[in-house]
Amino acid sequence: MKTFSEIAAMRAWCRDQQSRAQTIGIVPTMGALHEGHLSLVRRAKSQCDLCVATIFVNPTQFAEGEDLSRYPRPLEQDLELLREEGADAVFLPTDAVMYPDGFGTYVNPPPVSLPLEGQSRPEHFRGVTTVVMKLFQIIPANAAFFGQKDFQQLRVIEHMVRDLNVPVEIVPCEIVREKDGLAMSSRNRYLSESERVTALSLSRALVKAAELVQGGEDRADELERTMYAELSACDKVDYAVVVDANSLQPVRRLDQSSVALIAARVGNTRLIDNRIL
Amino acid sequence: MKTFSEIAAMRAWCRDQQSRAQTIGIVPTMGALHEGHLSLVRRAKSQCDLCVATIFVNPTQFAEGEDLSRYPRPLEQDLELLREEGADAVFLPTDAVMYPDGFGTYVNPPPVSLPLEGQSRPEHFRGVTTVVMKLFQIIPANAAFFGQKDFQQLRVIEHMVRDLNVPVEIVPCEIVREKDGLAMSSRNRYLSESERVTALSLSRALVKAAELVQGGEDRADELERTMYAELSACDKVDYAVVVDANSLQPVRRLDQSSVALIAARVGNTRLIDNRIL
C-alpha cells in the first residue's frame, strides 16, 4: 500500500494508473476508521480496479468549540486496517498542504445544505464541499464511496457534483451498525459506558418509527413525536424529523421517498443517525 | 472542427483525444470573437496538440441591468473565425445545459475578487469562478488561455485553480490592441463613432502613466491623478488605480510588481483596460 502526503505525487500515481486503464475508487475519510469505513473500501475494491483512501481531519468543517482538537487520530492503526482491507494507496495530507497560506476559495454548498445540519452547524457543509472538491481534483477517481450515515452530506455532495459537472460517480453505501443497532461512528469512542446505553435510543427511535410506518402510520408529526419520546434520555435533541429524502424538506405525510433523520447529544458527544422509511 | 452542445459528448471527445496522448488547450469565451480571442486560440494551438474553444454568454456573471440581453451573439461568424484559426472543437452549451433546474452550487471566489470589479460588480466573479470551474470539469484541459485585459479575472481564476487544486495550467496572454491603442473587446462594438474616440482615453491614460514611471515617478497617487485627468471625457470612471499586481491591493509607491487598472463608462458602455508598470 502506497502512502502519499504531497498533492503532486498523489496525482501522478493516479494518472500513471489510469494511463494503464486502471479505474480508481476514492474513499474520503477523517480517519479513526471503523467497520463502516472498511465496508466502503471493500465496495470500492469490488467496483473499481484500485482503491485510494484519504485520511484528513478537515479543519474547515469544524466550528469553534467543536471537537477538532480532540478528534481521534489513531494513524498507525488506521493504516494497518487499510492495508488489511487491500487499499492500494492512502492520501495523508497535512493542514498546510490542503490549506496553505493565502488559501481563500470555497465551494458554497447547494440549498440542500441549509436545513438540519446546516442549522446546527452553519459553516460545516462549506468545509465539506470545499475539501471534497479539492480531493476530487487531486485524485481523479472514477467513483467515490460515501456512507449513508451522513445522509445530508451525501445529498450535498451529490448536488455539488451534479451542479459543477465533476466527472465522478457518487456511490452511497449502507450504514453499518453494531450488533445492538448503534450506527458506527468515529465519535462513538467518546462515549462512556452509560452514555453508550443512552446512545442506543437513536437507532431505537428510528426502528420504532419504521414499525409505525409498517403499521400504516403516515403522518410525519406522529412519527416525530414517537422519535422524540424515545430520545428523552439524550442531553439535547437537535432534530428528529421525517423529510423528503431528496430535498430534505419537511413532509406532512410519508411518500415513496421519505427519510427519518436524528441528531442528538449524549453527554458532550453529538451523534447522528437515519433510516429510509 | 467539431461542435458540441451536450456535456457528455464534449467530455467523451476530450477523453478519447487524451487516451491517444493528445494534449488539450481550452479557450473559454463569451463569443463575439475578435483578434484578442483569436490570439488565444493561436497560443493554445502552439502549446497544446488540440484547441477547444467554448462560447457561452454566462448569465450568472451579469447583474440585473447589465448587458446580458444585448450582449452580441454573432454565432455563425464566430464559428467561421474559429474554423479559420484551426480550433479543433467548440463547446456551445445552452443556458439549460449549464444551469438546469435545481442548480444551486457556486464557487465562492477568493479575496482577490473583492476590490475594483468586485466593488463595481458584486456578483460578477462568483459567476465567473462557477462557470470556469464547470468548464474545467467538462473539458479536462491541460492548459487554459486567458487574456490579460481582464486582469483581475485572471488573478481570480489563478487563485481558484491553486486553492481548489484544479489540474490545469493557467496561461495569461498579452492584451491585443487596435492600431490606435484601444484594447480589443467584444463590447467595443457598442461604441458610436464619437464614443470610440472618447474610449481611446483609457489606453492613453495608461501610456501616460507608464511614461511618468519611465521618467522616475513612483507615487501611486500622482499616477492616478494623471490617469483621472486623461479620462475626463468619460461619462463615469469606476476606478483608475495603481495596485499590487498579485494581491490587487493599493500601493503607495510602485515596486517591481505593480499594475495600473482602469474601468470607465463611455455612453452606456463599460470598458476596462490595464497596463503592467
Side-chain angles (χ1 to χ4, degrees), chain A residues 11 106 108 134 163 165, chain B residues 11 105-106 108 134 163 165:
Chain A
R11 182 181 282 144
Y106 292 86
N108 228 28
K134 285 168 66 68
D163 289 348
N165 311 109
Chain B
R11 181 181 284 144
T105 308
Y106 292 86
N108 228 29
K134 285 168 65 70
D163 289 348
N165 310 109

Side-chain angles (χ1 to χ4, degrees), chain A residues 101-136:
Chain A
D101 282 349
F103 179 91
T105 308
Y106 292 86
V107 177
N108 228 28
V112 74
S113 69
L114 297 175
L116 306 167
E117 293 296 289
Q119 296 297 304
S120 303
R121 308 180 70 190
E123 297 290 291
H124 172 65
F125 282 125
R126 193 185 73 152
V128 170
T129 47
T130 300
V131 80
V132 171
M133 192 68 182
K134 285 168 66 68
L135 291 172
F136 286 163

Side-chain angles (χ1 to χ4, degrees), chain B residues 23-48:
Chain B
T23 60
I24 293 175
I26 184 176
V27 177
T29 83
M30 299 208 300
L33 303 180
H34 51 65
E35 190 53 35
H37 298 108
L38 301 180
S39 76
L40 303 178
V41 173
R42 282 194 288 275
R43 184 75 185 278
K45 295 278 293 180
S46 77
Q47 187 172 328
C48 299

